[in-house]
Amino acid sequence: MRISDLVVDRLPLYARALANLDSRGRDVVSSQELGDALNVSAAQIRKDFSYFGRFGKQGRGYNVRKLLDELQRILGLNRQWRMALVGAGRLGRAILGYQGFGPQGFRIVEAFDSDPAAIGDSVNGLVIKPTDDLEATLRSKPVDIGIVAVPAEHAQTVIDALVRCGVSAILNYAPIAARVPNGVHLRQIDPVLALQGMTFYLRAEASPK
Amino acid sequence: MRISDLVVDRLPLYARALANLDSRGRDVVSSQELGDALNVSAAQIRKDFSYFGRFGKQGRGYNVRKLLDELQRILGLNRQWRMALVGAGRLGRAILGYQGFGPQGFRIVEAFDSDPAAIGDSVNGLVIKPTDDLEATLRSKPVDIGIVAVPAEHAQTVIDALVRCGVSAILNYAPIAARVPNGVHLRQIDPVLALQGMTFYLRAEASPK
DNA sequence: GGGTGTGAATGAGTTCACAGCT
DNA sequence: AGCTGTGAACTCATTCACACCC
């Protein structure tokens, strides 16, 4: 059975909320309560879970620990994921320094840049390699996920190279509408787009008369 | 008439593509061609535009410059937007240094942090003020948009403070499901969620037998 | 009583397909 | 001939509402 992207994208949200509850010692939760915390309807949550199994107990709710385990298994969060970063400029270095990936099992194991001034630098214990070596490096030591933080004009080229190395999930920070072949997953981090999506409403509301 | 969020979120994408075409000297484009470049169907694009007016010419297509102007007007991109950043740690400083906001009319005009060691630092010509002064500062010199880059545990408090100051659009980098009152717009930048949405598929595909 | 799991009903969003302008 | 603009058809997603179980 085909599960919608929208459903899949909500699962990590649920997992995060459950991890919070778990760390606070909570052991049972209802779809209602979970939904209130996440701005999602209780019915939505129950339906989403129902695609994967029956994890709750009628009259009681869900066991937090058990449900969290299930979600982590479903999402593949119970293992380490190896990532390669391409582009080690300002943005790339901020990504390298970001402390939020590790605890969630995401580890950057290679970093590339094409600027001779950057190559050889050691950031957070990782030595920056020349982008020219990307294909050779990733073919001998594959990664699961690619992170693209190069200027817009080079992003598609880099993405194509990653795909050639068998990377089938890419997190792209460059502001372009990237193309990837079927079977390759792509997510976009694009703050400007997010801002522009909001100014539409500000514009409308800011004119009271 | 009520326009869907999904439509609004595609408009900036169109605007960006048109700006590219314009800068390359192109002056007419069809919905087909625009769609091919963005992985959106031609019908979708025509329908999206139709909510706002009739911008094309049958048999010819759209005038790039004119359509871009219309979209910029609709999205409010033809003016400057004042933003306040809260949280000037690693992430916050990377945001302050990001070169992509300015050219699109987004300017960070205030930066706050609660760490005494950070307060007073000058980053990119902007002096970091204590978060305690946030409300006083923003009440006397309002901003349009707030950017939140504080640790998860403080994010909701900061968001509430911004809302009290009349900020009605917030870009949140903290990994929480934030709550905002009706009429306040919120977008989330959350790379970990994006990654976790992809590992679901990797997990499934990685087990061939 | 309380809360899940789930078909059925509703609602939203996208695509179709074609009339009509250039 | 070519491409827009748009109702109508369709597909996909969410909510409803209730049988069922703890």
Side-chain angles (χ1 to χ4, degrees), chain A residues 2-5 8-9 11-13 16 35-39 52 73-77 81 83 90 94 97-101 104 106 124 144-145 168-171 173 175-179 183 185-187 189-203 205, chain B residues 2-5 8-9 11-13 16 35-39 52 73-77 81 83 90 94 97-101 104 106 124 144-145 168-171 173 175-179 183 185-187 189-203 205:
Chain A
R2 174 101 207 99
I3 286 157
S4 149
D5 263 25
V8 173
D9 279 342
L11 298 182
L13 212 63
R16 181 183 282 167
D36 288 348
L38 296 171
N39 306 325
F52 301 96
R73 186 184 49 75
I74 292 165
L75 289 168
L77 306 184
W81 294 95
M83 310 197 292
R90 275 173 185 281
Y98 180 53
Q99 305 295 302
F101 291 135
Q104 303 302 318
F106 296 98
N124 256 34
D144 306 295
I145 298 167
S168 60
I170 294 173
L171 188 64
Y173 283 78
I176 61 158
R179 299 200 134 278
H185 302 276
L186 175 73
R187 300 288 148 121
I189 300 287
D190 199 325
V192 169
L193 239 40
L195 289 171
Q196 293 179 333
M198 293 195 287
T199 54
F200 170 80
Y201 298 101
L202 297 187
R203 226 198 66 65
E205 289 152 10
Chain B
R2 171 103 206 95
I3 285 157
S4 149
D5 263 25
V8 173
D9 278 343
L11 298 182
L13 213 63
R16 182 184 282 167
D36 288 349
L38 296 171
N39 307 324
F52 302 96
R73 186 184 49 75
I74 292 166
L75 289 167
L77 306 184
W81 294 94
M83 310 197 293
R90 276 172 183 281
Y98 181 53
Q99 305 294 303
F101 290 135
Q104 302 302 319
F106 295 99
N124 256 34
D144 306 295
I145 299 168
S168 61
I170 294 172
L171 187 65
Y173 283 77
I176 62 157
R179 298 201 135 280
H185 302 276
L186 175 74
R187 301 288 148 120
I189 300 286
D190 199 326
V192 169
L193 280 189
L195 289 171
Q196 293 179 333
M198 293 195 289
T199 54
F200 169 80
Y201 299 102
L202 296 187
R203 226 196 66 66
E205 289 152 10

Side-chain angles (χ1 to χ4, degrees), chain A:
Chain A
M1 189 228 242
R2 174 101 207 99
I3 286 157
S4 149
D5 263 25
L6 297 178
V7 174
V8 173
D9 279 342
R10 278 190 298 263
L11 298 182
L13 212 63
Y14 303 151
R16 181 183 282 167
L18 288 165
N20 278 336
L21 288 170
D22 189 45
S23 74
R24 284 196 256 107
R26 196 57 177 303
D27 46 53
V28 170
V29 70
S30 69
S31 57
Q32 181 66 59
E33 188 183 358
L34 204 50
D36 288 348
L38 296 171
N39 306 325
V40 175
S41 79
Q44 177 86 84
I45 288 182
R46 295 201 301 277
K47 173 76 75 179
D48 286 348
F49 292 161
S50 79
Y51 295 121
F52 301 96
R54 291 126 63 97
F55 305 132
K57 283 219 193 343
Q58 281 110 328
R60 256 174 83 59
Y62 301 88
N63 177 294
V64 171
R65 188 64 238 168
K66 172 163 173 283
L67 182 54
L68 177 55
D69 283 347
E70 291 286 359
L71 287 179
Q72 291 186 331
R73 186 184 49 75
I74 292 165
L75 289 168
L77 306 184
N78 47 7
R79 74 179 200 59
Q80 291 284 120
W81 294 95
R82 294 164 44 84
M83 310 197 292
L85 171 75
V86 192
R90 275 173 185 281
L91 174 59
R93 284 167 199 241
I95 294 169
L96 273 174
Y98 180 53
Q99 305 295 302
F101 291 135
Q104 303 302 318
F106 296 98
R107 204 151 56 90
I108 298 176
V109 296
E110 299 285 355
F112 301 94
D113 201 292
S114 54
D115 176 2
I119 293 165
D121 283 11
S122 174
V123 181
N124 256 34
L126 202 61
V127 177
I128 297 170
K129 299 181 181 174
T131 306
D132 289 341
D133 296 356
L134 186 147
E135 303 209 26
T137 306
L138 297 192
R139 275 186 213 284
S140 71
K141 303 206 66 181
V143 296
D144 306 295
I145 298 167
I147 301 183
V148 177
V150 301
E153 56 273 28
H154 300 124
Q156 186 63 59
T157 307
V158 165
I159 288 171
D160 293 344
L162 286 167
V163 170
R164 276 197 302 277
C165 299
V167 172
S168 60
I170 294 173
L171 188 64
N172 177 36
Y173 283 78
I176 61 158
R179 299 200 134 278
V180 290
N182 240 320
V184 176
H185 302 276
L186 175 73
R187 300 288 148 121
Q188 201 71 22
I189 300 287
D190 199 325
V192 169
L193 239 40
L195 289 171
Q196 293 179 333
M198 293 195 287
T199 54
F200 170 80
Y201 298 101
L202 297 187
R203 226 198 66 65
E205 289 152 10
S207 53
K209 192 131 307 153

Side-chain angles (χ1 to χ4, degrees), chain B residues 55-164:
Chain B
F55 306 133
K57 282 216 190 350
Q58 281 111 327
R60 255 173 81 60
Y62 300 89
N63 177 294
V64 171
R65 188 66 238 168
K66 171 163 174 282
L67 181 55
L68 177 55
D69 283 347
E70 291 285 0
L71 287 179
Q72 291 186 331
R73 186 184 49 75
I74 292 166
L75 289 167
L77 306 184
N78 47 7
R79 74 178 196 65
Q80 290 285 119
W81 294 94
R82 294 165 44 84
M83 310 197 293
L85 171 75
V86 192
R90 276 172 183 281
L91 175 59
R93 285 166 199 241
I95 293 168
L96 273 174
Y98 181 53
Q99 305 294 303
F101 290 135
Q104 302 302 319
F106 295 99
R107 204 149 57 89
I108 298 177
V109 297
E110 299 285 354
F112 301 93
D113 200 289
S114 54
D115 176 1
I119 293 165
D121 282 11
S122 173
V123 181
N124 256 34
L126 202 61
V127 177
I128 298 171
K129 300 181 180 172
T131 306
D132 289 341
D133 297 355
L134 186 147
E135 303 208 28
T137 306
L138 297 192
R139 277 186 211 284
S140 71
K141 302 205 68 183
V143 297
D144 306 295
I145 299 168
I147 302 183
V148 177
V150 300
E153 56 273 28
H154 301 123
Q156 185 64 59
T157 308
V158 164
I159 288 170
D160 294 343
L162 286 167
V163 170
R164 277 197 302 278

